[in-house]
Amino acid sequence: MNIGSYHKTGTHLIKRIFNNYKETDRDQVFNFYWNYYLSQSSGKSVIVIRHPMEIIMSGVRYHQVSSEEWLHKPWQSPMGNPSGQSYSEIINGLSMDKKIIFEMENTAIFTIRRMLYDFTYRENTLFFQLEELYDESNVRPLSKRIAKFSGLDENYLEKAIREAMSKKYNATTKVFAHTYKRHFKPVHYELFHKLFPSVTLEVLGYLE
Protein backbone atom coordinates (compact mmCIF):
# COMPACT_ATOMS: atom_id res chain seq x y z
CA MET A 1 0.00 0.00 0.00
CA ASN A 2 1.15 3.54 -0.74
CA ILE A 3 1.62 6.14 2.00
CA GLY A 4 1.91 9.74 0.88
CA SER A 5 2.42 13.31 2.01
CA TYR A 6 3.29 16.74 0.68
CA HIS A 7 5.95 19.23 1.70
CA LYS A 8 5.13 20.36 5.26
CA THR A 9 2.06 18.13 5.71
CA GLY A 10 3.63 15.68 8.17
CA THR A 11 6.03 13.52 6.14
CA HIS A 12 8.16 12.36 9.06
CA LEU A 13 5.12 11.77 11.25
CA ILE A 14 3.23 9.60 8.78
CA LYS A 15 6.39 7.58 8.12
CA ARG A 16 6.80 7.04 11.84
CA ILE A 17 3.18 5.91 12.17
CA PHE A 18 3.40 3.27 9.48
CA ASN A 19 6.89 2.16 10.46
CA ASN A 20 5.47 1.66 13.96
CA TYR A 21 2.73 -0.45 12.40
CA LYS A 22 5.34 -2.63 10.70
CA GLU A 23 6.93 -3.39 14.06
CA THR A 24 3.72 -5.23 14.93
CA ASP A 25 2.98 -6.63 11.47
CA ARG A 26 6.36 -7.24 9.84
CA ASP A 27 4.83 -8.77 6.71
CA GLN A 28 3.13 -5.51 5.78
CA VAL A 29 4.78 -3.52 2.99
CA PHE A 30 4.38 0.25 2.69
CA ASN A 31 5.66 2.38 -0.17
CA PHE A 32 6.29 5.99 0.84
CA TYR A 33 5.79 8.77 -1.70
CA TRP A 34 6.23 12.52 -1.35
CA ASN A 35 4.88 15.47 -3.33
CA TYR A 36 5.17 15.01 -7.10
CA TYR A 37 6.42 11.44 -6.73
CA LEU A 38 2.87 10.53 -5.73
CA SER A 39 2.02 10.62 -9.43
CA GLN A 40 4.30 7.60 -9.88
CA SER A 41 2.28 5.50 -7.44
CA SER A 42 -0.69 3.28 -8.21
CA GLY A 43 -3.07 1.21 -6.14
CA LYS A 44 -4.53 2.01 -2.74
CA SER A 45 -3.02 5.05 -1.06
CA VAL A 46 -3.36 6.83 2.26
CA ILE A 47 -2.25 10.46 2.05
CA VAL A 48 -1.99 13.12 4.75
CA ILE A 49 -2.92 16.71 3.91
CA ARG A 50 -2.79 19.93 5.95
CA HIS A 51 -4.55 23.28 6.08
CA PRO A 52 -3.06 25.19 3.11
CA MET A 53 -2.39 28.31 5.13
CA GLU A 54 -0.62 26.24 7.76
CA ILE A 55 1.55 24.72 5.02
CA ILE A 56 2.64 28.27 4.24
CA MET A 57 3.43 29.10 7.87
CA SER A 58 5.27 25.81 8.41
CA GLY A 59 7.33 26.52 5.31
CA VAL A 60 8.21 29.98 6.61
CA ARG A 61 9.53 28.50 9.86
CA TYR A 62 11.33 25.57 8.28
CA HIS A 63 12.99 27.33 5.36
CA GLN A 64 14.67 29.86 7.65
CA VAL A 65 16.60 27.20 9.59
CA SER A 66 16.82 24.06 7.45
CA SER A 67 20.19 22.85 6.17
CA GLU A 68 18.66 21.29 3.03
CA GLU A 69 21.08 21.91 0.18
CA TRP A 70 18.63 23.54 -2.23
CA LEU A 71 17.88 26.29 0.28
CA HIS A 72 21.48 27.46 0.18
CA LYS A 73 21.95 27.68 -3.57
CA PRO A 74 20.98 30.72 -5.68
CA TRP A 75 17.20 30.57 -5.77
CA GLN A 76 15.65 30.09 -9.21
CA SER A 77 12.52 32.00 -8.33
CA PRO A 78 9.49 32.00 -10.63
CA MET A 79 9.19 35.65 -9.59
CA GLY A 80 12.81 36.39 -10.55
CA ASN A 81 15.93 36.68 -8.35
CA PRO A 82 18.33 39.32 -9.69
CA SER A 83 20.34 39.33 -6.44
CA GLY A 84 21.36 35.69 -6.83
CA GLN A 85 20.71 35.06 -3.14
CA SER A 86 19.70 31.67 -1.81
CA TYR A 87 16.17 30.92 -0.62
CA SER A 88 17.45 30.90 2.96
CA GLU A 89 19.17 34.26 2.60
CA ILE A 90 16.12 35.87 1.02
CA ILE A 91 13.52 34.65 3.52
CA ASN A 92 15.72 35.40 6.53
CA GLY A 93 16.12 38.98 5.36
CA LEU A 94 12.41 39.73 5.16
CA SER A 95 9.83 40.95 7.67
CA MET A 96 7.25 38.36 8.75
CA ASP A 97 4.61 39.84 6.44
CA LYS A 98 6.97 39.56 3.48
CA LYS A 99 8.19 36.09 4.51
CA ILE A 100 4.62 34.82 4.21
CA ILE A 101 4.20 36.38 0.78
CA PHE A 102 7.56 35.04 -0.41
CA GLU A 103 6.82 31.53 0.83
CA MET A 104 3.35 31.54 -0.71
CA GLU A 105 4.56 32.68 -4.12
CA ASN A 106 7.71 30.56 -4.32
CA THR A 107 7.18 27.10 -2.79
CA ALA A 108 3.81 26.71 -1.09
CA ILE A 109 2.03 27.58 -4.32
CA PHE A 110 3.24 24.36 -5.94
CA THR A 111 2.55 22.17 -2.91
CA ILE A 112 -0.98 23.46 -2.41
CA ARG A 113 -1.91 23.27 -6.09
CA ARG A 114 -0.62 19.71 -6.29
CA MET A 115 -2.46 18.71 -3.12
CA LEU A 116 -5.71 20.19 -4.41
CA TYR A 117 -5.31 18.47 -7.78
CA ASP A 118 -4.68 15.06 -6.20
CA PHE A 119 -7.54 15.49 -3.74
CA THR A 120 -9.89 16.30 -6.60
CA TYR A 121 -8.82 13.74 -9.18
CA ARG A 122 -6.84 10.93 -7.53
CA GLU A 123 -8.74 7.63 -7.26
CA ASN A 124 -8.53 4.77 -4.77
CA THR A 125 -7.12 7.11 -2.14
CA LEU A 126 -8.00 7.98 1.44
CA PHE A 127 -6.98 11.49 2.45
CA PHE A 128 -6.88 12.54 6.07
CA GLN A 129 -5.97 15.83 7.72
CA LEU A 130 -2.82 16.21 9.78
CA GLU A 131 -4.89 18.22 12.25
CA GLU A 132 -6.92 15.11 13.08
CA LEU A 133 -3.87 13.80 14.91
CA TYR A 134 -3.77 16.83 17.19
CA ASP A 135 -6.93 15.83 19.03
CA GLU A 136 -6.79 12.70 21.17
CA SER A 137 -10.47 12.00 20.55
CA ASN A 138 -9.83 11.62 16.80
CA VAL A 139 -7.27 8.82 17.03
CA ARG A 140 -9.70 5.93 17.38
CA PRO A 141 -12.12 7.09 14.65
CA LEU A 142 -9.20 7.82 12.31
CA SER A 143 -7.72 4.37 12.95
CA LYS A 144 -11.06 2.81 12.10
CA ARG A 145 -11.38 4.87 8.91
CA ILE A 146 -7.93 3.97 7.65
CA ALA A 147 -8.43 0.31 8.59
CA LYS A 148 -11.76 0.08 6.79
CA PHE A 149 -10.24 1.58 3.64
CA SER A 150 -6.93 -0.30 3.68
CA GLY A 151 -7.68 -3.62 5.34
CA LEU A 152 -5.08 -2.93 8.03
CA ASP A 153 -5.73 -3.86 11.65
CA GLU A 154 -7.41 -0.92 13.41
CA ASN A 155 -5.94 -1.80 16.81
CA TYR A 156 -2.42 -1.93 15.40
CA LEU A 157 -3.07 1.39 13.70
CA GLU A 158 -4.31 3.07 16.85
CA LYS A 159 -1.27 1.83 18.76
CA ALA A 160 1.06 3.03 15.98
CA ILE A 161 -0.53 6.50 15.91
CA ARG A 162 -0.46 6.95 19.68
CA GLU A 163 3.19 5.87 19.84
CA ALA A 164 4.14 8.28 17.07
CA MET A 165 2.32 11.19 18.68
CA SER A 166 3.92 10.48 22.06
CA LYS A 167 7.36 11.37 20.69
CA LYS A 168 8.47 14.80 21.90
CA TYR A 169 8.97 16.26 18.42
CA ASN A 170 5.62 15.08 17.10
CA ALA A 171 3.77 16.14 20.24
CA THR A 172 5.09 19.68 19.86
CA THR A 173 3.63 19.94 16.34
CA LYS A 174 0.27 20.43 18.02
CA VAL A 175 1.24 23.95 19.02
CA PHE A 176 1.54 24.85 15.35
CA ALA A 177 -2.16 24.33 14.61
CA HIS A 178 -3.81 27.50 13.29
CA THR A 179 -0.72 29.71 13.60
CA TYR A 180 -1.75 31.39 10.36
CA LYS A 181 -4.56 33.08 12.29
CA ARG A 182 -1.96 34.94 14.34
CA HIS A 183 0.09 36.06 11.35
CA PHE A 184 -2.13 36.36 8.28
CA LYS A 185 -3.27 39.87 7.43
CA PRO A 186 -5.73 41.02 4.75
CA VAL A 187 -2.91 41.22 2.20
CA HIS A 188 -2.11 37.52 2.77
CA TYR A 189 -5.71 36.37 2.50
CA GLU A 190 -6.07 38.45 -0.66
CA LEU A 191 -2.97 36.88 -2.21
CA PHE A 192 -4.09 33.40 -1.18
CA HIS A 193 -7.42 33.81 -2.95
CA LYS A 194 -5.63 35.21 -5.98
CA LEU A 195 -3.25 32.25 -6.27
CA PHE A 196 -5.68 29.43 -5.50
CA PRO A 197 -9.23 28.56 -6.58
CA SER A 198 -11.91 30.07 -4.39
CA VAL A 199 -13.12 26.57 -3.40
CA THR A 200 -9.70 25.37 -2.20
CA LEU A 201 -10.43 25.36 1.55
CA GLU A 202 -13.93 23.99 1.09
CA VAL A 203 -12.82 21.14 -1.19
CA LEU A 204 -10.03 20.10 1.19
CA GLY A 205 -12.37 20.20 4.19
CA TYR A 206 -11.08 23.41 5.76
CA LEU A 207 -13.34 26.38 6.23
CA GLU A 208 -12.07 29.85 7.20
Side-chain angles (χ1 to χ4, degrees):
M1 189 174 70
N2 304 313
I3 308 300
S5 63
Y6 304 91
H7 189 47
K8 308 313 300 171
T9 70
T11 300
H12 295 296
L13 178 55
I14 197 171
K15 281 185 176 181
R16 184 180 292 276
I17 288 170
F18 286 93
N19 283 332
N20 285 350
Y21 186 98
K22 284 188 65 174
E23 291 180 7
T24 306
D25 183 357
R26 297 187 180 277
D27 294 329
Q28 190 61 239
V29 176
F30 298 118
N31 303 307
F32 294 101
Y33 292 91
W34 179 80
N35 259 26
Y36 297 101
Y37 296 106
L38 284 165
S39 63
Q40 301 173 8
S41 64
S42 60
K44 278 193 173 183
S45 303
V46 174
I47 298 177
V48 60
I49 64 173
R50 190 178 191 177
H51 194 299
M53 294 177 185
E54 214 50 60
I55 288 175
I56 296 165
M57 292 307 306
S58 182
V60 167
R61 292 188 295 270
Y62 180 75
H63 293 146
Q64 292 182 83
V65 299
S66 172
S67 61
E68 285 190 32
E69 187 177 354
W70 69 271
L71 289 166
H72 301 278
K73 294 181 177 180
W75 175 238
Q76 302 298 315
S77 172
M79 311 300 292
N81 179 20
S83 70
Q85 289 180 300
S86 68
Y87 197 102
S88 177
E89 289 171 329
I90 295 171
I91 199 166
N92 275 292
L94 300 173
S95 66
M96 177 55 78
D97 287 349
K98 291 183 178 179
K99 290 180 197 289
I100 295 171
I101 292 171
F102 180 76
E103 179 71 20
M104 202 184 318
E105 291 181 332
N106 284 273
T107 55
I109 183 173
F110 303 110
T111 300
I112 296 167
R113 286 180 176 176
R114 182 72 208 189
M115 186 172 69
L116 179 63
Y117 178 88
D118 286 348
F119 192 93
T120 305
Y121 297 107
R122 188 181 175 94
E123 299 178 345
N124 206 17
T125 300
L126 173 68
F127 292 90
F128 75 91
Q129 298 175 349
L130 178 66
E131 291 82 1
E132 293 181 70
L133 298 172
Y134 296 166
D135 188 337
E136 178 77 13
S137 66
N138 289 331
V139 174
R140 184 64 176 168
L142 177 61
S143 302
K144 286 178 174 289
R145 208 163 84 236
I146 295 175
K148 183 177 180 180
F149 170 81
S150 65
L152 298 175
D153 185 285
E154 65 181 64
N155 294 315
Y156 291 176
L157 272 169
E158 182 176 0
K159 179 173 179 286
I161 292 172
R162 292 189 186 282
E163 286 180 351
M165 292 305 295
S166 70
K167 301 296 182 182
K168 182 178 179 181
Y169 172 80
N170 294 325
T172 59
T173 63
K174 297 178 183 180
V175 306
F176 294 132
H178 309 303
T179 57
Y180 75 90
K181 292 182 178 179
R182 298 200 298 270
H183 296 287
F184 266 48
K185 296 180 178 177
V187 63
H188 302 125
Y189 289 107
E190 182 179 344
L191 178 60
F192 183 90
H193 293 299
K194 177 182 177 181
L195 295 177
F196 308 107
S198 59
V199 296
T200 297
L201 297 180
E202 181 179 0
V203 168
L204 294 172
Y206 296 100
L207 296 177
E208 291 184 81

